[in-house]
Amino acid sequence: MYEGEGSNRGEKLSTFKLTVVQYGILCMLLALACGLWRLQVLGAAEYRQLAQQNRIRQVPILAPRGKLFDRYGRLLVDNYPSVSCFLVREQSHAVDADLPLIARGLNLDLDQLRSTLRHYRGLPGYQPIPIKQDITPDEQAFIAAHRNELPELETIGVERRLYPPDGFAAHLIGYVGEVSEDDLNDPRFAADEPGDVVGKAGVEETYDEILRGQDGSRDVIVDSHGREVGYFGTQNAIPGHDLRLTIDNDLQRAAELALGDREGAVVAMDPRNGEILAMVSHPSYDPNKFAVKIDRADWNKLLTDPEHPLMNKAIQAQLAPGSTFKVLMSVAGLTEGIAQNLHVVCNGGADFYGHFYHCDRHHGAVDIYNAIPDSCDTFFYNLADRLGIDRIDKYAKEFGFGEKTGVDLPDEEPGLMPSAEWVLKNFHHKWYAGETISVGIGQGAIEVTPIQLARYISGVASDGHLVRPHAVFPSELSPEFRKALLDTYPGSGDGYVPIDPQTWMIITDGMAQVTEPGAFHTAGSAHLNGIDFAGKTGTAEVISDAALSHMAHSRDTEPNVWFVGVTPRRNPELVVAVLWQHGEFSYYSARIASRIVAAYVDKQRRLAHNLPPAAAQAPVEVGAVWGVPPSAGKGAGAMAHMQGGHFFVEPDADKADLVAQNSRNSPAARSPLPVTGAQAAGAIPDALPEELSAALPKLAGTRP
């Protein structure tokens, strides 16, 4: 009995264990099924992407930037092919151990290379890191030879910027550079990542969105060691759009040459539409140094240079305008009915509020008709005193003083127009009447930029019509971009200030007399024959006379000199503003402007086939030596002999006419001895060698 009972309990125990095992197996199967469902259904996309990244390396294809052309379609900024080296961090490869070899092969400083990797440590592991740009053929060969040892190195072909040499139009064009950490915190660069190249100044910065295009990529199949084994696909890059600038390459070159090595700026603009035809700022810099990556030493040198070569002085130099402000004073004085009846006697200055204000000369009797060409400070001291600062401020603000022009270039400065309200707000005291006297001649706290002066003087000469300067044709832009541009670069823009016709005539005629020879005319040496050239000089002291008396005279104490000019005097088609810092005499700036105006007018006449008749040229003196063969009938031993002489060749004479004219039996032509120019004037011997005859047309175009 006991045996049967024990047998039944054993059977029951086995059945229980079997059931537990069965349920355990079922639970494991359910867990596996859930895991498979989670992997294959819920996480399919994520794991597919991870697997793809392990198998495929995405190599960027950088889009070439759009090219820049001048207004006539001539190429200004191009691209050139280059190769850059990138480092791809593979999780399965110890990159740090390879850094010494990479640094030696690519001629890099090891510490700098490590610093670069730390700089990009926030990037995803699969994203390439730029470690050297514009690598040499030897460095490319090193990478190819160590492909198996250094699979993390990748070369990428890029298009790099090629700018004009010698800093030509550098401040207007700008340059490109790698996006900085500060840039990445700016909303404008929200879509950029470290290593991206963006516009950094000038047109390159303003129109970066249009110029930069859209990068592509190439999917490369790699093995477990990161070595390339094939290609999966390519997404081509979309090149950036080309842009046509408003500048004229010829006029830009003329402006660069006219300013030379002088510290200052030039702005040449079409007053009818605001198109900038030339813009120069000196000293300049070479933007090609930024196209790859500027050396730290070169960058520090640019930053510490006391002449500020990175500053675009055409839109950023804020300086006192000097006597160029007197044109605005004349508009205000005539419009308010004061200047017409103002007559002063200039004896070298005048007393106001217990202080004597000097004039540079004793002009004698002065009225509004000779006040501008003679630039008499005494007249404008009196005019400023009668107008008062509030009325001066009103007219100055109407013509854009103290406000940005809205030019489509970054970092324009607004200048400063002082007023009673400005003094109270910033210095917490009232405006003193004596301060108005200095403002009346463009001194004191007033500050302007060259582009502000160009816009203002063109507005006066254009009967009150003011324009917004711009460096790119609006037709090159979409309506949306044009609207965004106006919002991004606000300023005084287009405007109109009513000017009485009689006022307009008096002022523009006075500006025209500035460049006419005259006893007191300030820019008579800049006169251009046959060209209606008007303008105004300006000399702005950089230090007071009292301070100057306690320090040694140097270049830095010389005044800044200005000239703003137009051609023709009314409704002009060209305005030129010239600033020469520490240039001493304002007529120097006027001469610079006259060279630019002459270059512009000459070109327009050539384009219109309307060149003035050439001035008569004096005969050109020519010296020659030639051999004369023996005469016929002489013996076999007869010898040739040499002859020589001086001749005067008419520059416009035709070679054939000259030879025919002088083939006569002239004793001077056949003399075996050299003859003087007076004896041989117009005489060309019939024995003249062919080489000299062939050279006559060239000689006729030269001057002694």
Side-chain angles (χ1 to χ4, degrees):
M1 182 178 79
Y2 292 106
E3 292 179 0
E5 291 177 357
S7 176
N8 290 337
R9 280 197 297 269
E11 290 177 2
K12 290 180 180 178
L13 184 61
S14 299
T15 303
F16 175 76
K17 290 181 178 180
L18 181 62
T19 301
V20 171
V21 170
Q22 288 174 341
Y23 277 105
I25 293 172
L26 179 61
C27 289
M28 286 191 300
L29 290 174
L30 288 174
L32 287 172
C34 290
L36 289 172
W37 182 78
R38 182 175 60 84
L39 289 172
Q40 296 183 3
V41 178
L42 291 181
E46 179 184 357
Y47 289 106
R48 186 181 299 112
Q49 182 179 2
L50 291 173
Q52 195 80 347
Q53 290 173 359
N54 287 332
R55 185 172 65 92
I56 298 175
R57 175 188 297 169
Q58 194 174 68
V59 179
I61 300 176
L62 305 182
R65 288 180 74 85
K67 300 177 182 180
L68 298 178
F69 299 85
D70 87 333
R71 65 188 297 110
Y72 297 108
R74 292 173 292 187
L75 186 63
L76 291 173
V77 179
D78 200 357
N79 300 311
Y80 71 92
S82 175
V83 177
S84 292
C85 180
F86 285 71
L87 187 144
V88 180
R89 296 163 293 171
E90 298 288 353
Q91 295 179 0
S92 60
H93 191 78
V95 173
D96 290 342
D98 293 336
L99 293 184
L101 177 59
I102 293 173
R104 287 196 302 272
L106 297 181
N107 300 302
L108 293 170
D109 180 76
L110 180 57
D111 292 336
Q112 183 62 39
L113 178 58
R114 286 173 174 155
S115 175
T116 300
L117 295 185
R118 287 195 298 270
H119 177 72
Y120 293 105
R121 64 181 178 272
L123 292 179
Y126 59 85
Q127 185 166 335
I129 295 176
I131 59 173
K132 188 166 186 181
Q133 303 174 6
D134 211 21
I135 62 176
T136 65
D138 289 343
E139 292 163 347
Q140 295 180 48
F142 165 80
I143 295 172
H146 293 78
R147 180 65 65 187
N148 292 332
E149 301 169 69
L150 304 172
E152 63 267 28
L153 294 185
E154 184 71 50
T155 57
I156 298 176
V158 298
E159 295 280 333
R160 299 209 176 278
R161 272 314 210 204
L162 182 61
Y163 294 103
D166 303 322
F168 180 83
H171 292 89
L172 182 138
I173 293 172
Y175 61 92
V176 295
E178 187 177 316
V179 64
S180 66
E181 292 184 6
D182 291 338
D183 292 335
L184 293 174
N185 296 324
D186 191 316
R188 293 181 302 160
F189 303 96
D192 291 300
E193 297 175 341
D196 287 349
V197 174
V198 298
K200 286 286 191 176
V203 169
E204 291 277 26
E205 179 177 335
T206 301
Y207 297 95
D208 182 67
E209 179 184 336
I210 296 175
L211 292 168
R212 69 189 303 180
Q214 183 176 339
D215 293 341
S217 63
R218 185 175 76 253
D219 295 331
V220 179
I221 302 173
V222 297
D223 61 15
S224 59
H225 298 287
R227 293 186 291 260
E228 297 182 8
V229 295
Y231 297 97
F232 188 76
T234 300
Q235 180 181 355
N236 293 322
I238 301 174
H241 293 284
D242 298 339
L243 280 180
R244 188 166 60 96
L245 308 186
T246 60
I247 69 169
D248 179 349
N249 188 54
D250 297 325
L251 197 64
Q252 178 72 29
R253 190 165 301 280
E256 299 266 5
L257 293 173
L259 188 60
D261 294 330
R262 304 171 182 91
E263 182 184 358
V266 171
V267 175
M269 185 180 74
D270 188 333
R272 299 167 295 186
N273 48 35
E275 294 171 3
I276 296 174
L277 303 177
M279 179 179 285
V280 183
S281 178
H282 280 177
S284 189
Y285 62 91
D286 184 3
N288 290 295
K289 290 186 177 181
F290 294 88
V292 180
K293 190 172 185 179
I294 190 167
D295 180 80
R296 185 178 297 275
D298 290 337
W299 175 246
N300 290 333
K301 183 179 179 181
L302 289 172
L303 288 180
T304 57
D305 191 320
E307 294 184 349
H308 307 293
L310 291 176
M311 174 192 285
N312 185 355
K313 293 180 173 64
I315 65 172
Q316 293 177 308
Q318 302 177 97
L319 302 166
S323 295
T324 60
F325 192 71
K326 292 174 181 176
V327 174
L328 184 281
M329 293 292 298
S330 300
V331 173
L334 288 167
T335 304
E336 295 292 330
I338 297 174
Q340 295 91 329
N341 303 313
L342 181 60
H343 301 271
V344 303
V345 176
C346 174
N347 292 313
D351 281 298
F352 294 93
Y353 308 104
H355 179 76
F356 185 78
Y357 292 82
H358 290 273
C359 185
D360 63 334
R361 294 186 182 183
H362 292 65
H363 292 96
V366 183
D367 58 18
I368 188 60
Y369 296 97
N370 62 346
I372 293 178
D374 292 353
S375 196
C376 176
D377 289 346
T378 304
F379 180 89
F380 288 99
Y381 290 150
N382 283 273
L383 181 57
D385 189 47
R386 285 163 173 75
L387 281 170
I389 190 60
D390 290 335
R391 284 194 284 192
I392 295 174
D393 176 62
K394 169 182 175 291
Y395 284 93
K397 293 289 178 57
E398 288 180 348
F399 280 94
F401 286 86
E403 186 178 3
K404 297 179 181 180
T405 65
V407 63
D408 55 342
L409 296 173
D411 304 318
E412 181 188 9
E413 295 292 349
L416 174 64
M417 184 59 215
S419 64
E421 180 183 356
W422 171 79
V423 165
L424 186 62
K425 179 180 178 180
N426 291 276
F427 300 98
H428 311 293
H429 65 74
K430 69 175 185 177
W431 179 269
Y432 297 110
E435 297 176 276
T436 307
I437 308 304
S438 295
V439 170
I441 62 166
Q443 294 278 183
I446 183 172
E447 293 179 350
V448 300
T449 63
I451 200 164
Q452 283 178 324
L453 281 188
R455 178 181 178 271
Y456 129 76
I457 208 71
S458 67
V460 173
S462 300
D463 198 17
H465 294 275
L466 297 139
V467 293
R468 178 191 296 270
H470 55 274
V472 173
F473 286 103
S475 59
E476 302 277 311
L477 313 172
S478 65
E480 296 78 15
F481 194 91
R482 287 202 297 270
K483 183 179 183 305
L485 199 64
L486 296 177
D487 296 336
T488 306
Y489 298 97
S492 46
D494 296 331
Y496 175 66
V497 181
I499 299 178
D500 180 79
Q502 186 64 24
T503 296
W504 185 42
M505 299 284 283
I506 292 173
I507 292 175
T508 51
D509 285 344
M511 289 168 57
Q513 291 181 53
V514 168
T515 61
E516 293 289 337
F520 296 131
H521 295 180
T522 56
S525 62
H527 176 72
L528 296 172
N529 290 324
I531 297 177
D532 187 8
F533 178 37
K536 184 69 189 79
T537 55
T539 303
E541 303 293 338
V542 297
I543 188 170
S544 67
D545 292 337
L548 185 59
S549 64
H550 293 89
M551 61 186 300
H553 182 273
S554 68
R555 174 188 169 277
D556 292 338
T557 64
E558 295 289 357
N560 299 321
V561 292
W562 296 88
F563 182 81
V564 283
V566 295
T567 185
R569 73 185 73 179
R570 285 187 275 273
N571 296 321
E573 57 188 67
L574 178 71
V575 59
V576 177
V578 175
L579 163 66
W580 182 3
Q581 292 183 262
H582 311 296
E584 191 173 2
F585 297 112
S586 57
Y587 59 79
Y588 290 158
S589 289
R591 292 173 184 174
I592 293 172
S594 70
R595 293 177 60 184
I596 300 168
V597 169
Y600 172 82
V601 172
D602 287 347
K603 179 171 182 177
Q604 298 307 308
R605 287 172 174 173
R606 287 198 307 272
L607 292 175
H609 304 290
N610 188 28
L611 289 173
Q617 296 182 349
V620 179
E621 185 177 1
V622 179
V625 177
W626 61 94
V628 179
S631 302
K634 291 192 176 181
M639 299 292 292
H641 62 276
M642 300 296 294
Q643 288 189 350
H646 291 87
F647 313 99
F648 284 89
V649 180
E650 294 294 337
D652 297 326
D654 181 79
K655 181 187 72 171
D657 292 340
L658 287 170
V659 174
Q661 172 189 349
N662 295 286
S663 294
R664 308 182 183 106
N665 295 323
S666 169
R670 288 182 166 81
S671 172
L673 300 174
V675 293
T676 65
Q679 293 172 326
I684 304 294
D686 52 4
L688 195 66
E690 293 182 2
E691 293 85 354
L692 185 56
S693 297
L696 278 177
K698 298 179 182 178
L699 292 171
T702 63
R703 295 295 299 270

